[in-house]
Short mmCIF file of all heavy atoms in Angstrom, two decimals:
data_model
loop_
_atom_site.label_atom_id
_atom_site.label_comp_id
_atom_site.label_asym_id
_atom_site.label_seq_id
_atom_site.Cartn_x
_atom_site.Cartn_y
_atom_site.Cartn_z
N VAL A 23 -7.61 4.43 13.90
CA VAL A 23 -7.53 3.90 12.54
C VAL A 23 -6.76 2.59 12.59
O VAL A 23 -5.61 2.55 12.99
CB VAL A 23 -6.88 4.90 11.57
CG1 VAL A 23 -6.77 4.28 10.19
CG2 VAL A 23 -7.68 6.19 11.51
N ALA A 24 -7.44 1.51 12.20
CA ALA A 24 -6.83 0.17 12.31
C ALA A 24 -5.70 -0.01 11.30
O ALA A 24 -5.76 0.55 10.18
CB ALA A 24 -7.91 -0.90 12.05
N PRO A 25 -4.72 -0.82 11.66
CA PRO A 25 -3.66 -1.20 10.68
C PRO A 25 -4.33 -1.83 9.45
O PRO A 25 -5.34 -2.55 9.57
CB PRO A 25 -2.81 -2.21 11.44
CG PRO A 25 -3.02 -1.89 12.87
CD PRO A 25 -4.44 -1.40 12.97
N GLY A 26 -3.76 -1.53 8.28
CA GLY A 26 -4.32 -2.06 7.05
C GLY A 26 -5.31 -1.13 6.37
O GLY A 26 -5.85 -1.44 5.32
N THR A 27 -5.56 0.05 6.95
CA THR A 27 -6.50 1.04 6.39
C THR A 27 -5.76 1.88 5.35
O THR A 27 -4.81 2.60 5.69
CB THR A 27 -7.08 1.93 7.48
OG1 THR A 27 -7.71 1.13 8.48
CG2 THR A 27 -8.09 2.94 6.90
N ALA A 28 -6.22 1.78 4.09
CA ALA A 28 -5.61 2.57 3.01
C ALA A 28 -5.89 4.05 3.27
O ALA A 28 -6.92 4.41 3.84
CB ALA A 28 -6.17 2.15 1.66
N PHE A 29 -4.98 4.90 2.79
CA PHE A 29 -5.15 6.35 2.91
C PHE A 29 -6.49 6.81 2.35
O PHE A 29 -7.19 7.62 2.95
CB PHE A 29 -4.00 7.10 2.25
CG PHE A 29 -4.00 8.58 2.47
CD1 PHE A 29 -3.54 9.12 3.64
CD2 PHE A 29 -4.50 9.42 1.48
CE1 PHE A 29 -3.57 10.52 3.83
CE2 PHE A 29 -4.52 10.81 1.67
CZ PHE A 29 -4.03 11.36 2.84
N GLU A 30 -6.84 6.23 1.22
CA GLU A 30 -8.09 6.60 0.55
C GLU A 30 -9.32 6.25 1.38
O GLU A 30 -10.39 6.84 1.20
CB GLU A 30 -8.21 5.92 -0.83
CG GLU A 30 -7.12 6.31 -1.82
CD GLU A 30 -5.81 5.58 -1.62
OE1 GLU A 30 -5.72 4.64 -0.79
OE2 GLU A 30 -4.82 5.97 -2.26
N ASP A 31 -9.16 5.31 2.30
CA ASP A 31 -10.30 4.88 3.13
C ASP A 31 -10.39 5.60 4.46
O ASP A 31 -11.32 5.37 5.22
CB ASP A 31 -10.19 3.36 3.37
CG ASP A 31 -10.37 2.55 2.11
OD1 ASP A 31 -11.00 3.06 1.17
OD2 ASP A 31 -9.82 1.42 2.05
N LEU A 32 -9.46 6.52 4.72
CA LEU A 32 -9.54 7.31 5.92
C LEU A 32 -10.77 8.22 5.84
O LEU A 32 -11.13 8.69 4.75
CB LEU A 32 -8.28 8.19 6.10
CG LEU A 32 -6.99 7.44 6.41
CD1 LEU A 32 -5.84 8.41 6.33
CD2 LEU A 32 -7.06 6.81 7.77
N PRO A 33 -11.41 8.53 6.97
CA PRO A 33 -12.54 9.45 6.94
C PRO A 33 -12.11 10.81 6.36
O PRO A 33 -10.98 11.23 6.52
CB PRO A 33 -12.95 9.60 8.39
CG PRO A 33 -12.30 8.47 9.12
CD PRO A 33 -11.10 8.06 8.30
N ASP A 34 -13.05 11.50 5.71
CA ASP A 34 -12.74 12.82 5.12
C ASP A 34 -12.29 13.82 6.16
O ASP A 34 -11.53 14.75 5.85
CB ASP A 34 -13.97 13.36 4.37
CG ASP A 34 -14.23 12.60 3.10
OD1 ASP A 34 -13.29 11.92 2.57
OD2 ASP A 34 -15.36 12.66 2.58
N ASP A 35 -12.72 13.64 7.39
CA ASP A 35 -12.33 14.60 8.44
C ASP A 35 -11.09 14.16 9.23
O ASP A 35 -10.74 14.79 10.20
CB ASP A 35 -13.51 14.86 9.40
CG ASP A 35 -13.98 13.59 10.12
OD1 ASP A 35 -13.50 12.48 9.80
OD2 ASP A 35 -14.81 13.72 11.03
N TRP A 36 -10.42 13.11 8.77
CA TRP A 36 -9.18 12.68 9.43
C TRP A 36 -8.12 13.75 9.23
O TRP A 36 -8.05 14.39 8.17
CB TRP A 36 -8.71 11.35 8.82
CG TRP A 36 -7.41 10.84 9.42
CD1 TRP A 36 -7.30 10.09 10.53
CD2 TRP A 36 -6.10 11.03 8.90
NE1 TRP A 36 -5.96 9.81 10.78
CE2 TRP A 36 -5.20 10.40 9.79
CE3 TRP A 36 -5.56 11.73 7.83
CZ2 TRP A 36 -3.84 10.41 9.61
CZ3 TRP A 36 -4.21 11.73 7.66
CH2 TRP A 36 -3.36 11.08 8.54
N THR A 37 -7.31 13.99 10.25
CA THR A 37 -6.25 14.98 10.15
C THR A 37 -4.95 14.38 10.62
O THR A 37 -4.92 13.36 11.34
CB THR A 37 -6.59 16.22 11.04
OG1 THR A 37 -6.75 15.81 12.37
CG2 THR A 37 -7.80 16.96 10.52
N CYS A 38 -3.85 15.01 10.25
CA CYS A 38 -2.52 14.60 10.67
C CYS A 38 -2.46 14.58 12.19
O CYS A 38 -2.83 15.56 12.85
CB CYS A 38 -1.49 15.56 10.10
SG CYS A 38 0.19 15.26 10.70
N PRO A 39 -1.95 13.47 12.79
CA PRO A 39 -1.89 13.42 14.23
C PRO A 39 -0.83 14.34 14.83
O PRO A 39 -0.82 14.59 16.02
CB PRO A 39 -1.55 11.95 14.53
CG PRO A 39 -0.99 11.40 13.29
CD PRO A 39 -1.57 12.21 12.16
N GLN A 40 0.05 14.88 14.01
CA GLN A 40 1.11 15.78 14.53
C GLN A 40 0.75 17.25 14.39
O GLN A 40 1.02 18.03 15.28
CB GLN A 40 2.45 15.50 13.82
CG GLN A 40 3.03 14.18 14.21
CD GLN A 40 4.39 13.95 13.57
OE1 GLN A 40 4.86 14.73 12.73
NE2 GLN A 40 5.05 12.91 13.96
N CYS A 41 0.16 17.65 13.25
CA CYS A 41 -0.11 19.06 13.03
C CYS A 41 -1.57 19.39 12.67
O CYS A 41 -1.90 20.54 12.46
CB CYS A 41 0.82 19.61 11.96
SG CYS A 41 0.35 19.12 10.27
N GLN A 42 -2.43 18.37 12.56
CA GLN A 42 -3.84 18.53 12.26
C GLN A 42 -4.14 19.03 10.85
O GLN A 42 -5.20 19.56 10.60
CB GLN A 42 -4.57 19.41 13.31
CG GLN A 42 -4.83 18.69 14.61
CD GLN A 42 -3.58 18.37 15.40
OE1 GLN A 42 -2.80 19.25 15.67
NE2 GLN A 42 -3.37 17.11 15.74
N ALA A 43 -3.17 18.86 9.93
CA ALA A 43 -3.44 19.21 8.53
C ALA A 43 -4.45 18.21 7.95
O ALA A 43 -4.50 17.05 8.34
CB ALA A 43 -2.14 19.16 7.73
N GLY A 44 -5.22 18.67 6.99
CA GLY A 44 -6.21 17.82 6.33
C GLY A 44 -5.59 16.87 5.34
O GLY A 44 -4.45 17.04 4.89
N LYS A 45 -6.37 15.84 4.97
CA LYS A 45 -5.90 14.85 4.02
C LYS A 45 -5.46 15.45 2.68
O LYS A 45 -4.57 14.93 2.00
CB LYS A 45 -7.00 13.83 3.70
CG LYS A 45 -7.26 12.81 4.76
CD LYS A 45 -8.47 11.93 4.43
CE LYS A 45 -8.28 11.13 3.16
NZ LYS A 45 -9.41 10.24 2.88
N ASP A 46 -6.10 16.56 2.31
CA ASP A 46 -5.81 17.18 1.00
C ASP A 46 -4.40 17.73 0.90
O ASP A 46 -3.92 18.02 -0.20
CB ASP A 46 -6.83 18.27 0.70
CG ASP A 46 -6.89 19.38 1.75
OD1 ASP A 46 -6.66 19.06 2.94
OD2 ASP A 46 -7.15 20.51 1.40
N LEU A 47 -3.69 17.88 2.02
CA LEU A 47 -2.35 18.42 1.99
C LEU A 47 -1.26 17.32 1.88
O LEU A 47 -0.12 17.62 1.70
CB LEU A 47 -2.08 19.26 3.23
CG LEU A 47 -2.95 20.53 3.36
CD1 LEU A 47 -2.63 21.27 4.65
CD2 LEU A 47 -2.77 21.43 2.16
N PHE A 48 -1.67 16.08 2.03
CA PHE A 48 -0.72 14.97 1.96
C PHE A 48 -0.36 14.67 0.54
O PHE A 48 -1.19 14.81 -0.37
CB PHE A 48 -1.33 13.70 2.59
CG PHE A 48 -1.29 13.68 4.12
CD1 PHE A 48 -2.03 14.59 4.87
CD2 PHE A 48 -0.53 12.75 4.78
CE1 PHE A 48 -2.02 14.56 6.24
CE2 PHE A 48 -0.49 12.71 6.16
CZ PHE A 48 -1.23 13.60 6.88
N ILE A 49 0.92 14.21 0.33
CA ILE A 49 1.33 13.80 -0.99
C ILE A 49 1.82 12.35 -0.93
O ILE A 49 2.31 11.87 0.11
CB ILE A 49 2.47 14.70 -1.54
CG1 ILE A 49 3.68 14.70 -0.58
CG2 ILE A 49 1.99 16.11 -1.80
CD1 ILE A 49 4.92 15.31 -1.18
N GLU A 50 1.64 11.65 -2.04
CA GLU A 50 2.05 10.25 -2.11
C GLU A 50 3.56 10.18 -2.13
O GLU A 50 4.23 10.95 -2.81
CB GLU A 50 1.47 9.63 -3.36
CG GLU A 50 1.74 8.16 -3.49
CD GLU A 50 1.12 7.57 -4.75
OE1 GLU A 50 0.02 7.99 -5.14
OE2 GLU A 50 1.74 6.70 -5.35
N VAL A 51 4.12 9.24 -1.35
CA VAL A 51 5.56 9.00 -1.34
C VAL A 51 5.86 7.52 -1.57
O VAL A 51 4.95 6.69 -1.43
CB VAL A 51 6.19 9.45 0.01
CG1 VAL A 51 6.11 10.94 0.14
CG2 VAL A 51 5.56 8.75 1.19
#
Side-chain angles (χ1 to χ4, degrees):
V23 177
T27 303
F29 186 80
E30 296 81 8
D31 294 334
L32 291 170
D34 289 339
D35 61 352
W36 179 85
T37 58
C38 174
Q40 291 184 352
C41 74
Q42 283 68 55
K45 283 176 62 177
D46 58 326
L47 296 179
F48 280 67
I49 57 167
E50 185 179 324
V51 293

